[in-house]
Amino acid sequence: MGSRAWLALEVYVKTDDERRYIDYVSSRLAWLRKVAFLLCQDWHRADDLAQAAITRLYVHWHSASRADNLDAYTRRVLVREFLSARRTVWGSRVDLHADPASAAPPTVHWPAPQASADDDPVTRMEVRAALAQVPARQRAALVLRYYCDLSVVETAEVLRCSPGTVKSQTARGLAALRLALESRQFVPADR
Amino acid sequence: MDESTVAVMLRDLAETPPPPSSVDISRAAVAGRRRVRMRRLMSGASAAGVAAVVALVAMVSTGLPTEGPGPNNPGSMPSAAPAQFDPFLQYAEFGWLPEGSVGSTITIDPRFYFNLSAEFETPAISSDQSAVRRVDLWLAPAGQNVEFGLPDVPAPGSYESTQFNGREAWWFEDGSRTTLRWQYAPQTWAAVDVVLDGPGAGRDVARRVAENVRYGVDLPIRQPFTTTGVPTHWWVCLVMVYRHGQEWDVEVTYAHDLDADWALTIHAAWPSERVTAVPTTVVDGYPARTDARATYGAGLQLFNVDGMFVDLQYYDAQTGALLPDGLVGVFRATEFYPDPADWR
């Protein structure tokens, strides 16, 4: 159903530039939503973030479309929109509604097969809850470093800080995530 | 917990089945277009005071024009600009364009600008073989310090002062874009933007377009719909009419009052097949999509309404509260005319 909805997003166009914009965003929307979800831990907020980011991308499309790495440009827009929105709109928003997917009990457990069998299984729900406790900037650093596979230098460019700051933000983020997971309540696999 | 563990956790979390997306690319494009328009309009605002002084000096040194507007006399500039533009009248037209214009757009924000745009999908050949992609004419109403084309912080050497019809004017160049900005009426700015495929004689094209503008033609702008679904005291704050061969689309945007931001847009386009989207519902027998968002208002898109795509949007909850039957009510109170010969 989700992919069907994503396919529904090709809309009318007026210019070649706009057509290219729509083609690009349509093809990368699923990825954008995933990154946004990791940053927000909430699909509603993730979609709001993605909406804001692609609007900003449209405004800067003339430059963006000429970027060497359009995905990197778009990711930078998304992350900066996330960090800036954290300071403004989202802080005052409280009327978020749980969606069915958000409310569903976790069905997939981590660790993945290659992880140590001694580790406690951690559900997606728990990871999500733990990640939500990591401060936004540290969370962004974790997502950029370990999901987007950016180097320290690349992450620093996105976050507009020094590589040293990225290292410290990442280390603190890891610590915060570890602490949040250690204090989690275990959720049985068959719940 | 090491870094690879975190990476696995994040990748697994990212695979959480998502709900249907509420991200709307068409809405992003609409909002983005609006921001682009406003950015272009406001790009020279910071230099307004300086320009007013420059304009005054220019007037003193060159004298005011004595002739009135000459609709059939290209290049004859009006003695006064309109206080605001009539959203349903085309105030000016091109008297000359390079060969090969295939599409045109008229956009009018009555308080802030009149924009006439020509597209050249098949590259036109200008006098020096440069391919013209787009030509825009921008006019500000009287009393608006809208200075088109000048960025907040122009790069050194990217703009220069010049004269146009005896008045102060500016050239601005940014890559493939060349802008000539001049006063088409005292203290009131106009601009011609020329976008080429590459470096070329943008100035030649821009100057010739500017020299041949016909002001005050006041051609009626007809619409593919009429509505009784919008409160009568709302006013039209933006009209956009796009024509490209047999294709067209038209937007009319309303505001509650003079100070209000955009409230509601009625948008129709033909043919509906230009829009490929998956309907999620049916409204009055037409395939449709709806979306309601706390942040952005709501939208209703209908497909193949007598061959047209119809898109209704409002932008905030306040407007929604003023529409007792919502966007469906607005749609039902709107009559559409798919054949341009029938436009009102």
Side-chain angles (χ1 to χ4, degrees), chain B residues 96-303:
Chain B
W96 177 85
L97 279 175
E99 295 285 325
S101 170
V102 293
S104 67
T105 308
I106 299 171
T107 311
I108 302 172
D109 183 328
R111 296 172 300 171
F112 294 112
Y113 68 91
F114 168 91
N115 172 225
L116 191 58
S117 180
E119 291 179 23
F120 299 80
E121 259 188 10
T122 303
I125 305 301
S126 65
S127 58
D128 75 338
Q129 308 297 300
S130 297
V132 178
R133 283 299 187 191
R134 188 179 181 95
V135 173
D136 275 278
L137 168 67
W138 296 84
L139 301 174
Q144 288 294 336
N145 281 328
V146 181
E147 298 182 66
F148 304 100
L150 195 66
D152 288 338
V153 186
S158 66
Y159 70 103
E160 66 181 57
S161 168
T162 185
Q163 290 279 313
F164 184 82
N165 280 2
R167 293 183 184 155
E168 188 76 7
W170 295 85
W171 286 111
F172 171 68
E173 289 178 297
D174 178 18
S176 58
R177 174 183 159 215
T178 300
T179 302
L180 172 61
R181 189 167 62 94
W182 75 99
Q183 296 171 62
Y184 77 100
Q187 302 185 67
T188 310
W189 290 98
V192 164
D193 260 346
V194 174
V195 178
L196 303 178
D197 242 359
R203 289 192 179 194
D204 292 347
V205 176
R207 179 173 285 278
R208 189 167 174 189
V209 169
E211 287 172 345
N212 286 278
V213 171
R214 294 190 175 98
Y215 305 92
V217 294
D218 286 344
L219 303 171
I221 298 174
R222 296 189 302 150
Q223 308 291 312
F225 49 80
T226 55
T227 185
T228 57
V230 177
T232 53
H233 64 279
W234 290 13
W235 66 288
V236 174
C237 63
L238 191 86
V239 167
M240 190 278 294
V241 178
Y242 168 77
R243 301 290 297 267
H244 186 149
Q246 299 301 308
E247 296 182 356
W248 54 260
D249 62 74
V250 175
E251 288 180 25
V252 177
T253 298
Y254 300 85
H256 304 159
D257 54 59
L258 287 176
D259 295 325
D261 208 344
W262 285 12
L264 170 76
T265 296
I266 300 177
H267 171 207
W270 193 91
S272 186
E273 289 73 26
R274 289 168 62 202
V275 182
T276 54
V278 178
T280 55
T281 186
V282 174
V283 173
D284 293 350
Y286 300 112
R289 284 197 313 176
T290 60
D291 65 293
R293 301 169 61 83
T295 312
Y296 300 101
L300 171 64
Q301 299 177 325
L302 303 102
F303 304 94

Side-chain angles (χ1 to χ4, degrees), chain A:
Chain A
M1 188 168 182
S3 60
R4 181 168 171 267
W6 298 330
L7 290 172
L9 293 165
E10 184 184 346
V11 292
Y12 84 98
V13 292
K14 296 191 182 73
T15 65
D16 287 347
D17 238 16
E18 193 158 309
R19 195 172 288 119
R20 283 192 287 272
Y21 164 83
I22 289 172
D23 286 348
Y24 172 74
V25 175
S26 300
S27 69
R28 304 302 283 144
L29 189 57
W31 165 71
L32 269 176
R33 292 184 78 210
K34 284 182 182 179
V35 178
F37 176 66
L38 290 180
L39 292 169
C40 303
Q41 289 78 57
D42 176 291
W43 282 110
H44 288 291
R45 290 190 182 205
D47 278 1
D48 276 358
L49 173 60
Q51 183 78 37
I54 65 170
T55 301
R56 184 171 291 271
L57 183 67
Y58 183 98
V59 173
H60 297 280
W61 183 246
H62 185 76
S63 308
S65 61
R66 288 158 180 75
D68 291 338
N69 185 338
L70 182 52
D71 281 351
Y73 189 104
T74 305
R75 181 173 51 222
R76 186 170 60 206
V77 168
L78 182 83
V79 172
R80 289 182 180 174
E81 191 71 28
F82 165 71
L83 293 172
S84 114
R86 296 286 302 178
R87 291 194 296 270
T88 55
V89 181
W90 291 355
S92 61
R93 289 188 56 190
V94 294
D95 58 343
L96 296 168
H97 304 288
D99 57 75
S102 300
T107 55
V108 179
H109 288 74
W110 188 89
Q114 68 270 29
S116 164
D118 294 334
D119 290 340
D120 284 339
V122 180
T123 67
R124 282 176 175 166
M125 188 72 86
E126 290 168 330
V127 173
R128 204 169 107 179
L131 204 54
Q133 294 180 47
V134 177
R137 201 166 178 82
Q138 295 172 16
R139 197 186 320 151
L142 293 180
V143 170
L144 290 170
R145 292 279 289 119
Y146 303 126
Y147 179 72
C148 300
D149 288 328
L150 298 195
S151 68
V152 169
V153 172
E154 290 166 332
T155 303
E157 195 276 326
V158 175
L159 297 179
R160 288 192 272 213
C161 63
S162 69
T165 303
V166 169
K167 290 177 185 172
S168 63
Q169 292 280 309
T170 306
R172 289 177 190 167
L174 283 170
L177 184 63
R178 187 180 302 115
L179 183 66
L181 284 171
E182 284 171 0
S183 61
R184 76 190 191 277
Q185 284 197 319
F186 180 70
V187 180
D190 58 351
R191 190 173 112 177

